[in-house]
Amino acid sequence: MTPFATGAALKEALHSHDYIADDEFATVVHLATALERPLLLEGPAGVGKTELAKALAAVGGRKLVRLQCYEGLDDSRALYEWDYAKQLLHVQMLRGRIGELLAGHVDIADASRFLADQDFGLYSEKFLAVRPLLEAVLSPDPVVLLVDEVDRTEESMEALLLEVLAERQVTIPEVGTFTARSTPWVILTSNDTRELSPALKRRCLHYHVGYPTADREREIVTARAPEVCPDTAAQIVELSGTLRELPLRKSPSISEVIDAARAATVLKSSHDSLSSMRDVLLATLLKY
């Protein structure tokens, strides 16, 4: 259940945490929380996709559980793995008792069958080393699950996500199925480095996050960097807008615009105008 009655209410709540969303975006996020559906955010890097999850956790009073995706990510890093050290310690503590039980079995085959039939509790929840996806499922308190840069993983990893996204559960062969103890809000982000599978997209609401309008970007800059005066913010936003119209390998992100505005504020004491420090500011805006 979402604590926000409307998209406008959610927009105001996000604004109180310095996340400036437009009406359409706020409405889509509100729908994702109200319908309890995962939200897939696609768009260029640095436009606020990850920051949305952080702000949403803050306004919802929820813990943020983050799975940072990368090439080669597997289930042992995303779901769970067994805590072998704890299992070994458990067996060592039972060693004396096991010896007593085996004392009456003089035949090795008979003793082996006896041991095979015993449940020593090694494969149970207390011996699990919990990773982000399972942590979100097992949490008794509602969380925001952020699956960041899901496009960096292989499609096989997407298949592991489907059970969590569609059924809100995780199946562990040795134990069984864990169903979510609370309903997480799930945010997935993609920088469009590859096309995601239809199966993954089908289970999510979808929104493409692009670069903001000049007015909204000025508001973002002054909210995130209150030491920057509005005139400086306006000039930096205008410069970044000009750069984004060029065929660059990577256009300036919002975070880089904020860095440039802060840099301009620092440099103002030794420069008369923005044009005189333009070349220096390009070091914060351009990376290629």
Side-chain angles (χ1 to χ4, degrees), residues 9-280:
L10 177 56
K11 178 183 176 180
E12 288 301 314
L14 292 172
H15 193 287
S16 69
H17 284 77
D18 295 333
Y19 190 91
I20 314 300
D22 60 27
D23 293 339
E24 183 180 272
F25 189 20
T27 300
V28 172
V29 176
H30 171 253
L31 284 175
T33 60
L35 300 176
E36 297 180 342
R37 292 286 302 279
L39 175 60
L40 171 61
L41 302 177
E42 292 190 287
V47 292
K49 303 185 295 297
T50 300
E51 288 300 315
L52 170 71
K54 296 177 181 179
L56 191 60
V59 300
R62 297 185 172 211
K63 176 183 177 182
L64 177 67
V65 177
R66 180 173 181 171
L67 173 62
Q68 181 61 54
C69 297
Y70 54 87
E71 187 176 350
L73 180 69
D74 59 15
D75 55 352
S76 68
R77 296 300 177 190
L79 288 169
Y80 70 94
E81 62 180 347
W82 293 106
D83 191 332
Y84 297 114
K86 188 182 290 187
Q87 287 175 323
L88 179 59
L89 180 61
H90 182 69
V91 170
Q92 289 175 337
M93 293 173 63
L94 293 176
R95 182 182 298 170
R97 181 58 178 159
I98 293 173
E100 294 175 8
L101 293 173
L102 293 178
H105 299 271
V106 295
D107 183 81
I108 294 178
D110 184 38
S112 178
R113 284 192 296 271
F114 173 78
L115 284 176
D117 292 336
Q118 304 308 305
D119 182 7
F120 296 106
L122 293 176
Y123 293 100
S124 59
E125 183 178 340
K126 64 183 179 181
F127 292 109
L128 284 172
V130 174
R131 303 306 183 204
L133 295 182
L134 185 58
E135 180 184 353
V137 168
L138 294 180
S139 175
D141 300 315
V143 302
V144 173
L145 172 61
L146 169 62
V147 183
D148 208 15
E149 298 183 325
V150 65
D151 54 320
R152 290 183 177 270
T153 66
E154 294 82 6
E155 287 196 25
S156 58
M157 187 61 213
E158 289 186 35
L160 289 176
L161 291 171
L162 298 183
E163 185 179 21
V164 177
L165 298 180
E167 308 296 335
R168 292 197 288 271
Q169 65 183 32
V170 170
T171 299
I172 300 175
E174 299 90 341
V175 181
T177 298
F178 290 99
T179 302
R181 295 168 182 173
S182 59
T183 303
W185 292 342
V186 183
I187 304 293
L188 302 94
T189 73
S190 167
N191 293 337
D192 291 333
T193 59
R194 70 171 177 85
E195 182 70 22
L196 300 177
S197 69
L200 181 69
K201 288 191 171 185
R202 189 169 63 247
R203 287 162 172 80
C204 305
L205 299 185
H206 178 270
Y207 191 82
H208 186 275
V209 185
Y211 293 111
T213 63
D215 288 342
R216 189 159 69 89
E217 190 161 26
R218 284 195 296 271
E219 189 177 358
I220 293 170
V221 170
T222 53
R224 291 284 175 158
E227 72 275 16
V228 177
C229 70
D231 183 58
T232 299
Q235 292 181 72
I236 296 296
V237 167
E238 182 181 1
L239 173 60
S240 66
T242 301
L243 293 174
R244 286 171 185 159
E245 294 175 357
L246 302 176
L248 301 173
R249 179 174 170 183
K250 181 186 178 301
S251 295
S253 67
I254 297 175
S255 60
E256 289 161 344
V257 172
I258 295 172
D259 286 343
R262 285 174 169 156
T265 300
V266 171
L267 293 172
K268 259 193 168 183
S269 59
S270 57
H271 292 77
D272 296 329
S273 64
L274 183 67
S275 58
S276 63
M277 59 177 109
R278 183 186 180 101
D279 290 344
V280 176

